[in-house]
Amino acid sequence: MEKAIIEGAVKSVNGVDKDSIKVLFNSSKVKVDFDSAVTSIEEIQKAIENVGYPVLKAKVKAA
């Protein structure tokens, strides 16, 4: 299942809050909390792209 593949890719990134990952496949979105001192949005994008899914747009909201 695609959702599980994307979830697994995001979970593999150090600094990601593993319990915060929400893959909204129907709306083509992934929501996740992460520690910006440990990782970046670019690293999360790269993990998603490495499993074969393009990232069209990334947005970071301050917590």
Side-chain angles (χ1 to χ4, degrees):
M1 180 179 200
E2 295 89 354
K3 182 179 171 182
I5 293 169
I6 295 169
E7 229 171 65
V10 175
K11 280 183 182 178
S12 73
V13 178
N14 285 336
V16 165
D17 177 354
K18 314 274 188 252
D19 296 326
S20 74
I21 301 168
K22 290 186 184 90
V23 178
L24 310 168
F25 206 76
N26 290 339
S27 58
S28 301
K29 292 182 180 179
V30 175
K31 294 185 177 189
V32 62
D33 294 333
F34 65 96
D35 183 345
S36 60
V38 178
T39 194
S40 65
I41 191 67
E42 291 81 13
E43 289 299 315
I44 297 168
Q45 280 181 239
K46 203 180 304 177
I48 294 168
E49 289 168 346
N50 285 344
V51 293
Y53 293 91
V55 175
L56 304 179
K57 186 169 96 177
K59 182 166 52 173
V60 177
K61 291 183 183 177

